[in-house]
Amino acid sequence: MAAAAKRKYSDSDDEENEPGRRAHGGRDARSRHCPYLDTINRSLLDFDFEKLCSVSLSHLNVYACLVCGKYFQGRGQKSHAYTHSVQVDHHVFLNLHTLKFYCLPDNYEVIDSSLDDIKYVLNPTFTTDHIKQLDGSSKLSRAYDSTMYLPGIVGLNNIKANDYCNVVLQALSHVSPLRDYFLQEENYKDIKRPPGDIMFLIVQRFGELMRKLWNPRNFKAHVSPHEMLQAVVLCSKKRFQITEQGDPIDFLSWFLNAMHASMGGNKKVTSSSVGKVFRGTMKIYSRQLVTKDETGEAKVSEGPETVTTSPFMYLTLDLPPPPLFQDEYEQNIIPQVPLANLLAKFNGETEKEYKSYKDSTLKRFELTRLPPYLILYVKRFTKNNFYVEKNPTIVTFPVKNIDLREYLSKDPEIQKKHPNTTYDLIANIVHDGLPGAGKGTYRVHIYHKGSGQWYEMQDLHVADILPQMITLSESYIQIWELRKDQPSYTVNQVDS
């Protein structure tokens, strides 16, 4: 039945039935003189949603009506698109797969350069030269409704409760090497995957979303991540939903690791474009605390120290506990902590105790590879069996020039491999409101390199913001970019 349906609505059948075609394969004389082009309504065209026929809900051979924006299957005389054209007098259609235009019910191909803008909105393409200019351009674009927007700084529609996904996708869209890789489909379309593998779908959808976010010729100044999120729901086996708010760090961790694996990545740090950008390595020194109770009194002894090397996609920063009590004069005081205090966890000397129901382990961490883009996760929520608690402590930090050399291993070889250890902030995800799914909201601060301006983005809301305001927010996830223009290492540093 499925094969029959596919045969029924195939392009080849539609083309065989085209009236008015010239003999010997010539093109219809009407192709370049379609009288219905002025009926096209670009303000109703939206290619962000799933390419399904609005009648049969089929993915096969779907056409968009360029007059009302609805999707229909096929274009033969028994097809839904043909019926629509006759019933409501809409005549110009676009095949969403082949990007060819047709006039129905006459069923001839329409060839006109004035339609190229519609093709570009459906499938934006970027040249290498264009991509190189993105981080140096502050040129505004004009949408079809005359709204001015900055490519890369466009709102993402919140379908129901997907703000936690939107902030992560917006932040990743400004990681330059990741964005540049996905703006050109040829970079990843030939990656071989096992038969039946669905995980590569998120790679394809992420690439499509990147091209829409950075499209300088959009019809509107916002984008719906509908197809991207549907792929997330499918590939995560409904772990992440559009209809239920999740945790951005859970989504980010799953998303980066899923993309890394889907692109052929392995344990090697640089085995995929995602790994090259985000993966660092650290040494973990562990000492187990053994509890003995031979004489009726608890005694603690330390086991031998073990050393393991572990890759990481992000670093977890532990906030100090907020004060339990406040007097009447300190009710409005919000605790603050410098970012450097939280990063001290990775200086190779600070020990942290990790308790389990059986025993405890003392661990200290030492960074051995700093990635080009460093993700910091501020552990703001603690969960138990009864409720989720939020730590409101404000993390203070500069938005530029934080040097992480003191957290890097003192091994001379590792030091030499890191001539640059200074980072600038490019994205800052914030949680506002009460803890718990659906009780708070997420927004993101984005640095646009071309304009040198910071923007605050919360779903469709986009506004510029002063960098001083960023440090006053309850930061949750940050992305820092390694500077290449400020070497902080000299040979004499280690030798001395």
Side-chain angles (χ1 to χ4, degrees):
M1 287 294 291
K6 189 171 183 178
R7 175 67 181 158
K8 179 179 177 181
Y9 289 116
S10 70
D11 276 332
S12 58
D13 280 354
D14 289 336
E15 290 176 1
E16 287 170 8
N17 295 328
E18 286 185 15
R21 269 192 179 270
R22 289 180 181 176
H24 311 296
R27 193 174 296 280
D28 194 304
R30 295 169 292 178
S31 289
R32 297 187 182 275
H33 303 283
C34 179
Y36 301 111
L37 295 186
D38 61 347
T39 65
I40 295 173
N41 190 345
R42 285 170 171 78
S43 63
L44 295 179
L45 301 184
D46 189 344
F47 301 122
D48 291 346
F49 292 90
E50 192 174 9
K51 311 302 187 288
L52 286 175
C53 172
S54 58
V55 179
S56 67
L57 302 182
S58 171
H59 289 90
L60 301 174
N61 200 17
V62 178
Y63 290 75
C65 173
L66 301 186
V67 182
C68 66
K70 293 180 180 178
Y71 294 169
F72 298 97
Q73 187 179 25
R75 71 173 197 277
Q77 290 188 1
K78 296 181 181 180
S79 69
H80 299 300
Y82 186 96
T83 303
H84 177 74
S85 71
V86 173
Q87 286 181 343
V88 297
D89 206 27
H90 293 177
H91 299 286
V92 190
F93 291 78
L94 168 63
N95 186 302
L96 297 176
H97 179 67
T98 65
L99 303 186
K100 291 182 178 181
F101 297 90
Y102 294 91
C103 181
L104 299 180
D106 296 337
N107 210 1
Y108 60 85
E109 184 179 353
V110 178
I111 300 174
D112 196 294
S113 60
S114 68
L115 303 175
D116 288 349
D117 63 329
I118 298 176
K119 279 187 186 179
Y120 194 86
V121 169
L122 176 59
N123 184 32
T125 55
F126 292 79
T127 64
T128 302
D129 288 340
H130 185 187
I131 292 173
K132 288 179 180 178
Q133 296 169 8
L134 289 178
D135 284 340
S137 173
S138 59
K139 183 180 178 182
L140 292 171
S141 294
R142 186 185 297 274
Y144 184 73
D145 61 359
S146 296
T147 303
M148 303 301 292
Y149 71 94
L150 197 55
I153 305 294
V154 293
L156 280 177
N157 190 27
N158 188 348
I159 298 166
K160 188 169 183 183
N162 53 278
D163 60 339
Y164 74 101
C165 293
N166 287 355
V167 291
V168 169
L169 296 171
Q170 290 280 24
L172 293 179
S173 73
H174 285 264
V175 176
S176 297
L178 195 69
R179 175 204 64 199
D180 296 350
Y181 180 86
F182 281 97
L183 286 181
Q184 292 186 311
E185 189 177 5
E186 55 266 30
N187 289 334
Y188 59 86
K189 68 178 182 179
D190 294 328
I191 294 177
K192 291 181 170 54
R193 298 299 300 161
D197 176 52
I198 63 168
M199 294 302 291
F200 194 68
L201 184 62
I202 61 169
V203 175
Q204 295 172 318
R205 293 289 183 257
F206 184 68
E208 292 169 5
L209 182 64
M210 288 302 99
R211 293 191 287 275
K212 288 177 181 177
L213 288 173
W214 286 91
N215 182 1
R217 289 185 258 165
N218 267 328
F219 284 169
K220 55 190 187 306
H222 63 271
V223 171
S224 175
H226 190 266
E227 289 188 291
M228 173 78 244
L229 295 175
Q230 281 194 316
V232 167
V233 173
L234 177 66
C235 295
S236 70
K237 299 179 181 178
K238 299 184 179 180
R239 176 182 170 189
F240 301 104
Q241 297 276 6
I242 299 174
T243 56
E244 184 179 340
Q245 191 184 61
D247 192 328
I249 192 62
D250 292 342
F251 172 66
L252 176 63
S253 178
W254 172 84
F255 187 71
L256 292 181
N257 283 290
M259 291 253 288
H260 176 70
S262 300
M263 296 164 68
N266 51 42
K267 291 183 179 180
K268 189 177 178 182
V269 170
T270 58
S271 55
S272 78
S273 62
V274 173
K276 289 176 185 176
V277 172
F278 293 115
R279 287 184 86 177
T281 57
M282 67 169 75
K283 283 185 178 180
I284 303 174
Y285 301 85
S286 304
R287 287 185 298 130
Q288 195 167 12
L289 299 179
V290 183
T291 302
K292 295 182 180 180
D293 193 7
E294 298 173 356
T295 61
E297 293 184 4
K299 290 185 178 180
V300 178
S301 63
E302 296 181 1
E305 186 171 69
T306 60
V307 183
T308 56
T309 299
S310 174
F312 64 84
M313 282 288 192
Y314 61 87
L315 297 179
T316 301
L317 305 182
D318 303 305
L319 287 173
L324 293 176
F325 304 101
Q326 295 177 338
D327 62 34
E328 57 181 333
Y329 301 106
E330 296 182 344
Q331 288 181 353
N332 297 322
I333 293 178
I334 299 174
Q336 299 184 16
V337 60
L339 180 63
N341 290 17
L342 305 185
L343 287 170
K345 171 183 177 180
F346 301 98
N347 61 12
E349 299 173 1
T350 303
E351 285 191 321
K352 181 174 173 61
E353 186 176 358
Y354 292 83
K355 295 182 179 180
S356 67
Y357 70 95
K358 283 186 176 180
D359 49 35
S360 297
T361 304
L362 288 175
K363 292 185 179 181
R364 53 191 178 93
F365 306 91
E366 185 179 61
L367 303 181
T368 54
R369 180 184 186 268
L370 291 173
Y373 287 79
L374 179 66
I375 300 175
L376 300 181
Y377 155 54
V378 180
K379 192 174 182 182
R380 199 168 282 283
F381 301 102
T382 53
K383 303 175 184 178
N384 59 32
N385 294 332
F386 304 103
Y387 59 90
V388 179
E389 189 175 359
K390 179 181 176 181
N391 189 327
T393 300
I394 299 294
V395 180
T396 59
F397 53 88
V399 296
K400 286 183 177 291
N401 297 327
I402 65 161
D403 191 352
L404 302 187
R405 184 163 298 282
E406 64 179 290
Y407 312 109
L408 191 64
S409 170
K410 302 303 183 287
D411 184 324
E413 290 302 313
I414 292 176
Q415 288 282 332
K416 287 179 181 178
K417 289 178 181 178
H418 294 79
N420 302 287
T421 55
T422 304
Y423 285 81
D424 290 345
L425 185 69
I426 62 164
N428 181 55
I429 294 174
V430 176
H431 180 269
D432 296 311
L434 298 173
K439 294 182 179 179
T441 57
Y442 292 98
R443 56 192 167 97
V444 61
H445 301 126
I446 296 289
Y447 180 67
H448 187 269
K449 294 178 185 175
S451 63
Q453 174 68 51
W454 280 93
Y455 290 88
E456 181 177 88
M457 308 173 77
Q458 185 171 13
D459 300 328
L460 295 178
H461 168 78
V462 177
D464 53 22
I465 185 174
L466 293 173
Q468 298 92 314
M469 301 299 293
I470 295 171
T471 60
L472 301 178
S473 58
E474 296 178 3
S475 298
Y476 190 49
I477 302 171
Q478 298 180 333
I479 301 181
W480 295 80
E481 179 184 47
L482 183 65
R483 296 188 65 153
K484 300 294 178 65
D485 60 342
Q486 287 193 349
S488 58
Y489 168 80
T490 60
V491 176
N492 294 331
Q493 276 185 286
V494 176
D495 293 343
S496 58

